[in-house]
Amino acid sequence: MIEPRRLVVVSNREPYQHTYDDDRNIHWSPTTGGVAVALDALMRERGGVWIAHGSGAADREVVDADDRVLVPPDAPSYTLRRLWLNDLESTKYYEGFANEGLWPLCHEAHVRPVFRASDWESYQLVNNRFAEVIETELPDLSAPVFIQDYHLALVAANLRHRLPGVKTGLFWHIPWPSSGRLRICPWRRDLLAGLLGNDLIAFQLDRDRRNFLVAAREELPVETTRNTVRVGNRIVAVKAVPIGVD
């Protein structure tokens, strides 16, 4: 029997969180959300490292000197590597650029997206920090890196700059906007170039796959087919793969 390759999963939200109760005892709990639940099951089976922002009040108390802790706490089967953000970084990168900018942009909400230069700067810095941590945790270049969602669009390109042979895929869990809507974002070309640092980009719906390919073709000097984008001598697969499909 062939052993499955260990995964490196990367997300903003961690799968498990440690907190204090009223008596300052530390407790753990799984985080909510479909992404965490689905990928936790995968990581329990495959093993590897999950890299995420440590946001629990007691998270720092349980990690080792390298900011790692084995999870699930009651039946350890993989490593959680926590990355720390200060309040300002979390506000600008997460609440600002990701949730006030990208979220309404991609959902084509009636609320106009808000894009601030300071939020974009923080988003870039945090994405680069995630790439730095991945580089330290990657066991070897054969280990696939599975990046999650709109919080981390620039990670793959940053990581590929450090490790040209790395294999990465990103699942974009929210819609991808029409090309006209995308033009609201001043840094749309940077986002597209960052995403095209992956070997695979996956969306929930075929509509989102089509919208992404149109945007890449209109905004960047790349060639596209129905399911691929050629970036220099690299071919990036672009697919519609609903979550839950292996």
Side-chain angles (χ1 to χ4, degrees):
M1 181 178 177
I2 299 175
E3 281 290 321
R5 286 181 296 172
R6 292 164 63 83
L7 285 174
V8 177
V9 167
V10 190
S11 66
N12 177 74
R13 178 178 291 183
E14 58 186 344
Y16 294 91
Q17 195 173 64
H18 289 83
T19 55
Y20 295 107
D21 65 15
D22 293 339
D23 297 319
R24 297 292 291 175
N25 297 310
I26 295 176
H27 295 270
W28 65 271
S29 60
T31 55
T32 58
V35 176
V37 172
L39 292 176
D40 176 61
L42 176 65
M43 290 296 281
R44 286 175 185 242
E45 177 186 342
R46 291 282 295 270
V49 181
W50 188 321
I51 300 167
H53 169 216
S55 57
D59 278 357
R60 291 180 184 267
E61 298 299 320
V62 299
V63 296
D64 64 15
D66 297 310
D67 296 321
R68 302 185 185 112
V69 60
L70 293 175
V71 292
D74 58 343
S77 54
Y78 65 93
T79 299
L80 173 58
R81 168 65 155 88
R82 285 173 168 152
L83 177 151
W84 314 109
L85 303 178
N86 62 41
D87 290 343
L88 184 62
E89 289 171 331
S90 184
T91 297
K92 289 183 173 295
Y93 139 78
Y94 182 77
E95 298 295 342
F97 191 81
N99 286 352
E100 292 184 18
L102 291 181
W103 177 269
L105 176 81
C106 291
H107 284 87
E108 307 208 10
H110 294 297
V111 177
R112 185 174 178 83
V114 177
F115 290 107
R116 308 177 187 89
S118 60
D119 292 346
W120 169 241
E121 181 179 354
S122 183
Y123 185 87
Q124 292 175 286
L125 290 172
V126 171
N127 272 244
N128 188 57
R129 195 181 309 166
F130 268 93
E132 290 173 350
V133 172
I134 297 169
E135 183 181 15
T136 65
E137 296 293 338
L138 196 67
D140 57 68
L141 289 179
S142 70
V145 180
F146 192 20
I147 304 165
Q148 306 302 313
D149 225 352
Y150 62 103
H151 313 93
L152 303 174
L154 309 180
V155 169
N158 286 331
L159 182 61
R160 189 170 297 279
H161 179 72
R162 294 176 170 82
L163 301 170
V166 70
K167 300 299 182 185
T168 71
L170 179 139
F171 198 108
W172 188 270
H173 292 269
I174 63 176
W176 185 269
S178 63
S179 57
R181 175 78 173 181
L182 183 64
R183 292 191 189 102
I184 297 173
C185 178
W187 302 286
R188 59 191 178 276
R189 295 184 182 90
D190 302 271
L191 286 171
L192 288 163
L195 288 167
L196 289 170
N198 289 283
D199 298 286
L200 167 68
I201 307 168
F203 297 95
Q204 289 273 14
L205 301 176
D206 196 59
R207 173 202 64 200
D208 304 320
R209 178 193 61 80
R210 294 195 305 269
N211 283 348
F212 180 85
L213 289 170
V214 169
R217 190 165 56 245
E218 290 182 351
E219 299 287 349
L220 299 174
V222 297
E223 299 176 12
T224 65
T225 69
R226 186 179 185 279
N227 288 302
T228 66
V229 179
R230 177 180 287 276
V231 183
N233 61 357
R234 296 175 49 246
I235 299 294
V236 181
V238 182
K239 298 185 178 182
V241 188
I243 190 169
V245 175
D246 190 349

